[in-house]
């Protein structure tokens, strides 16, 4: 942190700073009517307005409580402690709890004695009374014991006590407490502080200086600049006002703690970073606040000296954040950091890039692409004779080398090549800079051949499913589901209780898993979005990517009940007003989104996944032990691919899956079927080696093609009889008595079908016996039963005899081929499979 701050406030020769001129400049820049009703310039005191959406201080959620909460729609400290020990639900507590009328909210509360419409103006001391009335009551109660006063305390307050006028306020600047001592005119709190200071120092401290720079008594929603030096007061006030123009709000408590760290600093413009943010400071919010104040002061000093931040070779990101629409809309203060244009070593190219950024004000993502393009071009030109310094010397061949370098760009892992579309975007960025430079007259000497040419085109490759996203395997999803109760438990979310936070994230995950919608579409679901037509239930959702709203997705009973259970619980929670229409509320009412953000959902998912002790992949190691699954592959969007892949694997018609995914093009949907085909080929490759004949003896197929040609021939295995294969399995010469046929070729993927056939044959035999049929019919049925039993037993023995790893591979192939065959001619349920059943 100190290193970053040093770069932000690097001011060169500090000894040359004219502090007098700097002070005058600051005074001219201050906003006179800043935060009316909250900022008191004479007292140097900020008191947050509880009704202002731009101040992080609100009324306690309990209506009858007058305390302040730092969380919107949250509890004050006292009410939260009482709630935790009450044993009541949140709804019951809010409806029934009433704070003690004598409860002290702050030292500024006044005495409760009132008569003839006039209330005592002295400070609250105890049991609803000021110190004087409390003493008077004690005396009166003693008289009562002597039978001279027989009334109760409330009767004494009503009939006897007389309101007193307030004492003069404490002399400390901005202190609201009353004077209780004659010495110095201080309140009791500051009198004690002065005595401690007076007794601890060897020499007598300067009372006048102490009075001007001592911090007043402050409530939760207040902060004061009184403790700072005269120049630091101006600097901090200027920084707060500048920050307030783009920051979402002011948190008085955080500012108060940050100011405490700046006490003793003569001024921020010459202070060393370690003086502002010491290494031992661990509170992140305070570090950020001090960093923001120092940054605003540093930028102000640049403006004081007439320095444009965009004229520097190194741009401060926040100083140039006006390039971002979010900055111009006042939604963000920008991210700390810098952009170093010196990585583009050729002055002509660097100046063209910088002028393009100044003139066009690009968004951050677009700016990064163009900077990357110029950096790559600069690196390539630097390796050529002359280093590319002379723009008139670069030629067509140099541009060819630049394009080739862009084709070899790799991802962050340093191994995988960057996608062709990303390569094209970067190359287009370089062309944009060159065209801009030429049109602006900055590259008049640049040789004309160093430009775009048809031979430099980067062809966009057809992406496959591995590139557009990887599906989370069903076996991994099943493992995640067994730990579902732990999701969201340790995630802090506004004023919600841990159980409610967990229920919200668990519901969002299940909806994402079962519906295959995009993460931002799930996070932005509205309340009451279930629609019932006949006996079917549909989810109403908005395709925000394609701007197609109120789409309908059929969902099953389990998903419907999950949503309904959360919505019922959601109705009893207190959430930001902006989140009222949404199923999943926002963490605060001051964010950009009025509902749960994908960023918070991703963080909750990552924390949950990382907390699960073990997650195994579908394969096994050489020694047969489970292989850990790469947890980095579990992210929100991957569950959309899981949904699509689940249906593609099960044979859902492509036109149906296209509608379920709400794809514009069937080509996008078809990619999932390509992956399914690839998996099927791998399964066939493993299974064709396990084919047997009708006696159960090994009869492996020579190729995948041979296996595929026969795999659909008959219900209980493959068939090699030519006329039956030609007819697609519908012209068996012996009427499908496969067990006695020399062309019959079963494999382990048909074991379940063979066992079903054995059971059917046994039932047929019982029926035949009851019908008193001829003996040869009974014998024929029994022979088929015996033959199928022998085939099944031999295949099972062969599979059991395989090494464990190879046996696991065979069983995975069995599962995939059985699913593929089972899906032919039928539609898969439209949302989610039954996770309580085995995938086999």
């Amino acid at each position: 942190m100190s290193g970053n701050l040093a770069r932000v406030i690097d001011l060169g020769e500090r000894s040359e700073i004219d502090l007098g001129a700097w002070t005058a400049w600051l005074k001219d820049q201050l906003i006179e009517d800043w935060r009316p009703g909250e900022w008191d310039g004479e007292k140097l005191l900020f008191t947050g307005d509880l009704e202002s959406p731009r101040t992080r201080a609100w009324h306690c959620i309990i209506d009858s409580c007058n305390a302040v909460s730092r969380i919107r729609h949250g509890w004050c400290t006292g009410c939260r402690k009482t709630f935790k020990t009450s044993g009541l639900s949140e709804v019951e507590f809010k409806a029934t709890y009433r704070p003690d009328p004598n409860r002290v909210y702050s030292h500024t509360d006044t005495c409760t004695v009132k008569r003839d419409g006039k209330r005592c103006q002295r400070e609250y001391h105890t049991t609803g009374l000021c110190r004087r009335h409390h003493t008077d009551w004690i005396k009166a109660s003693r008289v009562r014991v002597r039978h001279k006063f027989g009334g109760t305390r409330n009767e004494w307050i009503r009939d006897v006590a007389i309101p007193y006028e307030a004492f003069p306020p404490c002399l400390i600047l901005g202190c609201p407490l009353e004077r209780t001592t004659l010495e110095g005119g201080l309140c009791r709190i500051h009198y004690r502080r002065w005595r401690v200071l007076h007794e601890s120092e060897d020499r007598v401290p300067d009372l006048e200086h102490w009075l001007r720079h001592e911090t007043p008594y402050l409530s939760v929603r207040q902060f004061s600049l009184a403790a700072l030096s005269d120049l630091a007061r101006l600097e901090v006030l200027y920084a707060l006002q500048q920050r307030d123009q783009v920051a979402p709000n002011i948190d008085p408590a955080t500012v108060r703690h940050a100011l405490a760290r700046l006490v003793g600093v003569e001024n921020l413009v010459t202070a060393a970073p370690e003086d502002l943010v010491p290494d031992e400071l661990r509170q992140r919010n305070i570090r950020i606040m001090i960093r923001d104040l120092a940054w605003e002061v540093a930028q102000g000093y640049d403006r004081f000296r007439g320095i444009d931040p965009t004229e520097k070779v190194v741009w401060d990101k926040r100083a140039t954040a006006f390039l971002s629409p979010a900055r111009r809309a006042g939604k963000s203060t920008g991210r700390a950091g810098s952009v170093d244009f010196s990585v583009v070593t050729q002055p002509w190219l660097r100046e063209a890039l910088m002028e393009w950024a100044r003139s066009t004000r690009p968004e951050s993502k677009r700016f990064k692409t163009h900077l990357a393009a110029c950096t790559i071009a600069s690196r390539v030109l630097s390796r050529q004779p002359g280093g590319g310094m002379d723009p008139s010397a670069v030629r067509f061949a140099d541009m060819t080398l630049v394009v080739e370098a862009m084709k070899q760009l790799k991802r962050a892992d340093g191994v995988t090549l960057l996608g062709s579309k990303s390569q094209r975007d970067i190359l287009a960025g370089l062309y944009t800079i060159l065209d801009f430079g030429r049109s602006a007259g900055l590259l008049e000497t640049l040789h004309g051949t160093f430009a775009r040419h048809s031979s430099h085109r980067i062809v966009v490759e057809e992406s496959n499913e591995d590139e557009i996203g990887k599906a989370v395997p069903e076996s991994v999803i099943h493992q995640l589901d067994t730990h579902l109760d732990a999701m969201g438990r340790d995630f802090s979310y506004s004023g919600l209780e841990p159980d409610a936070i967990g229920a919200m994230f668990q519901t969002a995950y299940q909806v994402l898993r079962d519906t295959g919608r995009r993460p931002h579409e799930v996070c932005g679901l509205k309340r009451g979005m279930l629609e019932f037509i006949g006996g079917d239930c549909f989810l109403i959702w908005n395709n925000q990517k394609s701007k197609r709203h109120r789409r309908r997705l059929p969902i099953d009973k389990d998903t419907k009940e999950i949503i309904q259970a959360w919505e019922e619980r959601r109705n009893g929670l207190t959430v930001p007003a902006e989140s009222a229409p949404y199923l999943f509320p926002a963490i605060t009412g001051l964010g950009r989104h009025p509902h749960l953000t994908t960023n918070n959902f991703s963080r909750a998912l990552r924390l949950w996944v990382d907390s699960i002790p073990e997650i195994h992949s579908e394969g096994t190691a050489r020694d047969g032990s489970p292989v850990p699954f790469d947890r980095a592959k579990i992210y929100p969007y991957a569950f959309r691919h899981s949904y699509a892949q689940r249906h593609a694997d099960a044979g859902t018609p492509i036109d149906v899956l296209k509608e379920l995914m709400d794809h514009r093009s069937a080509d996008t949907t078809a990619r999932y079927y390509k992956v399914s085909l690839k998996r099927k080929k791998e399964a066939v490759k493993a299974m064709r080696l396990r084919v047997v004949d009708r006696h159960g003896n090994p009869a492996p197929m020579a190729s995948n093609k041979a296996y595929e040609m026969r795999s659909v021939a008959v219900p209980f295995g493959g068939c090699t009889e030519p006329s039956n294969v030609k007819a697609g399995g519908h012209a068996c010469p012996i009427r499908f008595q496969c067990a006695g046929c020399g062309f019959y070729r079963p494999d382990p993927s048909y074991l379940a079908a063979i066992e079903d056939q054995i059971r059917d044959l046994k039932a047929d035999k019982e029926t035949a016996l009851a019908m008193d049929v001829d003996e040869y019919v009974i014998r024929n049925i029994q022979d088929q039963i015996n033959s199928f039993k022998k085939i099944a037993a031999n295949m099972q023995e062969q599979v059991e005899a395989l090494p464990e790893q190879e046996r696991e591979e065979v069983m995975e192939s069995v599962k995939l081929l059985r699913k593929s065959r089972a899906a032919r001619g039928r539609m898969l349920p439209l949302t989610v499979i039954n996770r309580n059943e085995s995938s086999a």
Side-chain angles (χ1 to χ4, degrees):
M1 181 65 184
S2 296
N4 293 338
L5 192 57
R7 182 169 62 252
V8 169
I9 63 173
D10 183 10
L11 301 175
E13 294 295 330
R14 298 169 188 254
S15 60
E16 297 180 0
I17 297 176
D18 185 346
L19 294 181
W22 169 237
T23 300
W25 185 87
L26 286 173
K27 291 180 179 179
D28 290 339
Q29 299 299 314
L30 294 180
I31 303 172
E32 293 184 2
D33 59 345
W34 179 63
R35 292 271 188 156
E38 292 184 303
W39 171 247
D40 187 334
E42 293 184 358
K43 296 181 179 179
L44 300 177
L45 183 67
F46 182 93
T47 303
D49 181 0
L50 301 184
E51 304 299 330
S52 172
R54 300 182 61 233
T55 303
R56 292 192 62 81
W58 297 274
H59 292 288
C60 176
I61 199 172
I62 301 299
D63 293 336
S64 56
C65 178
N66 293 325
V68 178
S69 170
R70 291 185 60 192
I71 301 174
R72 190 172 191 182
H73 304 290
W75 313 76
C76 69
T77 303
C79 289
R80 176 173 287 278
K81 289 180 178 179
T82 307
F83 167 66
K84 287 185 176 296
T85 59
S86 67
L88 301 175
S89 68
E90 184 175 331
V91 175
E92 293 172 337
F93 184 82
K94 290 176 183 177
T96 60
Y97 177 66
R98 297 294 179 271
D100 185 343
N102 292 326
R103 173 179 163 185
V104 177
Y105 295 102
S106 75
H107 288 288
T108 58
D109 287 349
T110 57
C111 179
T112 59
V113 170
K114 185 177 181 182
R115 177 176 291 186
D116 299 330
K118 183 179 179 181
R119 182 165 177 167
C120 180
Q121 298 300 306
R122 296 190 180 179
E123 285 178 8
Y124 185 105
H125 172 61
T126 184
T127 62
L129 301 176
C130 63
R131 189 180 298 271
R132 174 67 183 274
H133 279 121
H134 177 64
T135 303
D136 291 346
W137 162 245
I138 292 176
K139 294 178 179 179
S141 64
R142 291 174 180 169
V143 172
R144 185 192 61 179
V145 171
R146 297 170 186 165
H147 306 288
K148 292 185 179 180
F149 178 77
T152 64
R153 177 178 174 276
N154 289 337
E155 291 173 339
W156 179 86
I157 293 174
R158 184 190 63 201
D159 301 331
V160 178
I162 300 174
Y164 295 114
E165 295 293 333
F167 284 118
C170 177
L171 288 179
I172 296 297
L173 188 65
C175 184
L177 303 183
E178 60 187 22
R179 301 181 190 181
T180 56
T181 65
L182 296 177
E183 181 181 352
L186 302 176
C187 66
R188 60 182 181 277
I189 292 177
H190 287 105
Y191 177 68
R192 285 197 294 269
R193 292 182 186 176
W194 170 250
R195 287 191 59 184
V196 170
L197 179 64
H198 193 278
E199 295 171 358
S200 62
E201 294 191 4
D202 296 334
R203 59 184 179 83
V204 178
D206 184 351
L207 177 60
E208 292 300 324
H209 181 274
W210 183 79
L211 290 175
R212 287 192 300 109
H213 292 281
E214 176 61 19
T215 302
Y217 169 78
L218 299 172
S219 67
V220 174
R221 56 175 174 155
Q222 291 181 314
F223 65 82
S224 170
L225 303 184
L228 304 180
S229 68
D230 293 340
L231 179 53
R233 289 174 181 176
L234 291 174
E235 290 175 327
V236 171
L237 181 57
Y238 167 81
L240 287 172
Q241 291 180 351
Q242 294 298 313
R243 182 181 182 275
D244 194 41
Q245 296 182 47
V246 291
N249 54 61
I250 283 183
D251 184 353
T254 299
V255 175
R256 185 169 63 252
H257 291 305
L259 294 178
R261 295 281 177 174
L262 299 178
V263 173
V265 177
E266 287 300 319
N267 58 75
L268 276 66
V269 75
T270 61
E274 57 270 16
D275 293 336
L276 300 180
V277 189
D279 293 335
E280 67 270 14
L281 181 58
R282 297 298 179 219
Q283 296 92 334
R284 182 173 178 270
N285 59 334
I286 301 176
R287 293 171 69 94
I288 292 174
M289 177 58 68
I290 297 176
R291 181 203 68 188
D292 286 354
L293 296 177
W295 182 86
E296 293 289 359
V297 170
Q299 297 308 310
Y301 187 69
D302 276 347
R303 287 192 286 275
F304 162 68
R305 295 186 295 170
I307 297 176
D308 184 347
T310 64
E311 294 296 332
K312 300 178 180 179
V313 175
V314 179
W315 286 12
D316 185 282
K317 283 186 177 181
R318 291 181 61 191
T320 56
F322 62 84
L323 302 178
S324 169
R327 174 75 175 192
R328 293 196 296 270
K331 293 183 178 180
S332 172
T333 60
R335 293 185 177 182
S338 60
V339 178
D340 188 356
F341 286 94
S342 65
V343 294
V344 182
T345 57
Q346 294 76 19
W348 56 270
L349 182 57
R350 180 172 63 245
E351 181 55 35
L353 174 62
M354 294 176 67
E355 184 58 32
W356 170 82
R358 296 187 196 104
S359 303
T360 62
R361 300 189 176 191
E363 293 185 7
S364 178
K365 183 177 180 181
R366 185 165 178 249
F367 175 77
K368 288 179 181 178
T369 301
H370 289 63
L371 176 61
C374 293
T375 302
I376 296 166
S378 174
R379 191 181 304 130
V380 172
L381 294 175
S382 297
R383 294 195 291 264
Q384 307 311 309
M389 293 299 177
D390 183 2
S392 63
V394 295
R395 294 291 191 275
F396 178 85
D398 297 310
M399 178 59 77
T400 301
L401 293 175
V402 170
V403 174
E404 290 302 317
M406 291 184 178
K407 290 180 180 179
Q408 300 303 317
L409 291 176
K410 292 182 172 58
R411 300 183 187 273
D413 59 11
V415 178
T416 311
L417 283 176
L418 197 65
S420 57
K421 186 178 183 302
S422 298
Q423 294 174 4
R424 279 170 60 96
D425 291 342
I426 294 175
L427 180 58
L430 177 60
Y431 290 152
T432 298
I433 299 301
L434 296 179
D435 292 343
F436 174 85
R438 286 189 169 99
S439 64
L442 301 174
L443 301 178
E444 293 179 349
T445 60
L446 180 64
H447 199 278
T449 59
F450 192 76
R452 68 179 76 222
H453 190 271
S454 59
S455 63
H456 295 151
R457 187 167 58 93
I458 297 177
V459 179
V460 176
E461 300 174 355
E462 179 69 20
S463 61
N464 56 44
E465 174 61 14
D466 291 334
E467 292 170 346
I468 65 174
K470 294 184 177 180
V472 180
E474 289 297 319
S475 62
V476 173
I477 292 178
H478 178 72
Q479 295 175 68
L480 294 176
D481 291 349
T482 59
H483 298 276
L484 183 60
D485 289 344
M487 185 179 188
R489 295 295 186 184
D490 298 327
F491 198 96
S492 178
Y493 202 85
S494 188
L496 298 183
E497 293 299 314
D499 288 346
I501 298 171
M504 180 183 70
F505 282 116
Q506 291 161 25
T507 303
Y509 159 74
Q510 292 176 94
V511 173
L512 180 75
R513 176 200 69 191
D514 293 356
T515 65
R517 301 310 90 185
R518 299 178 182 88
H520 64 272
E521 293 165 350
V522 171
C523 292
L525 285 173
K526 297 287 187 71
R527 299 167 68 182
M529 71 299 177
L530 295 181
E531 184 177 274
F532 299 89
I533 302 177
D536 298 325
C537 181
F538 295 85
L539 177 71
I540 307 301
W541 62 286
N542 295 328
N543 186 337
Q544 299 173 9
K545 180 179 180 180
S546 301
K547 296 181 174 58
R548 297 196 294 271
H549 291 179
R550 292 198 63 80
R551 314 298 289 174
R552 285 174 173 78
L553 177 76
I555 60 175
D556 66 1
K557 178 182 176 183
D558 291 341
T559 307
K560 176 198 70 173
E561 291 176 349
I562 289 170
I563 295 173
Q564 288 177 329
W566 165 247
E567 189 158 14
E568 181 178 354
R569 183 166 188 173
R570 161 76 174 76
N571 293 337
L573 300 178
T574 302
V575 300
E578 294 82 352
S579 297
Y582 295 93
L583 187 64
F584 304 114
I587 193 170
T588 174
L590 300 176
R592 296 184 183 180
H593 302 284
H595 51 72
L596 171 67
T597 63
T598 54
N599 181 50
N600 280 327
F601 179 69
S602 296
R603 287 198 301 118
L605 180 68
R606 176 56 46 209
L607 290 172
W608 173 50
V609 170
D610 290 343
S611 70
I612 298 176
E614 294 181 336
I615 302 179
H616 299 144
S617 62
E618 294 178 319
T620 56
R622 289 183 176 274
D623 59 357
S625 60
V627 176
F629 185 77
D630 184 1
R631 300 177 190 232
K633 296 180 179 179
I634 305 175
Y635 52 91
Y637 206 95
F639 290 94
R640 176 170 172 81
H641 295 293
S642 299
Y643 174 87
Q645 197 63 61
R646 185 185 310 143
H647 286 79
D649 288 346
T652 301
I654 189 171
D655 58 330
V656 175
L657 183 54
K658 174 179 174 292
E659 293 300 320
L660 293 177
M661 298 298 291
D662 205 30
H663 288 151
R664 285 190 181 276
S665 172
D667 293 340
T668 305
T669 313
R671 296 170 187 168
Y672 295 99
Y673 291 86
K674 291 180 182 179
V675 175
S676 297
L677 180 61
K678 178 182 177 182
R679 292 175 179 172
K680 184 179 177 183
K681 286 181 178 179
E682 293 174 351
V684 168
K685 183 178 179 180
M687 198 55 57
R688 67 180 175 83
L689 302 176
R690 308 301 164 198
V691 176
V692 300
D693 60 17
R694 69 185 180 92
H695 301 294
N697 299 318
M701 295 292 183
S703 65
N704 283 21
K705 184 177 180 180
Y707 181 92
E708 284 285 345
M709 184 178 66
R710 304 174 180 92
S711 62
V712 297
V714 292
F716 319 120
C719 178
T720 59
E721 202 283 318
S723 61
N724 192 35
V725 172
K726 184 177 180 180
H730 298 291
C732 178
I734 59 173
R735 299 182 180 181
F736 301 103
Q737 298 186 78
C738 300
C741 179
F743 294 100
Y744 179 46
R745 295 294 184 270
D747 62 65
S749 67
Y750 287 95
L751 272 172
I754 292 173
E755 291 171 353
D756 288 342
Q757 177 65 0
I758 292 173
R759 286 189 288 270
D760 290 343
L761 288 171
K762 289 181 177 179
D764 291 345
K765 178 182 176 182
E766 295 298 325
T767 302
L769 290 173
M771 295 172 61
D772 193 25
V773 300
D774 288 341
E775 183 181 351
Y776 76 87
V777 176
I778 304 298
R779 187 169 60 252
N780 175 270
I781 296 174
Q782 184 61 49
D783 288 345
Q784 292 187 66
I785 292 173
N786 294 339
S787 181
F788 276 125
K789 281 185 174 181
K790 180 180 178 182
I791 293 170
N794 286 345
M795 282 194 294
Q796 288 174 344
E797 289 178 3
Q798 292 175 27
V799 172
E800 291 297 328
L802 293 173
E804 186 173 356
Q805 181 179 357
E806 192 172 349
R807 184 169 66 251
E808 289 292 334
E809 293 176 356
V810 169
M811 296 312 298
E812 288 299 322
S813 299
V814 166
K815 294 177 184 178
L816 181 58
L817 291 176
R818 284 182 58 199
K819 285 181 180 180
S820 178
R821 285 194 291 266
R824 289 172 185 164
R826 68 176 179 85
M827 286 182 58
L828 186 73
L830 296 183
T831 54
V832 62
I833 61 175
N834 187 342
R835 303 188 180 281
N836 295 323
E837 296 180 358
S838 170
S839 59

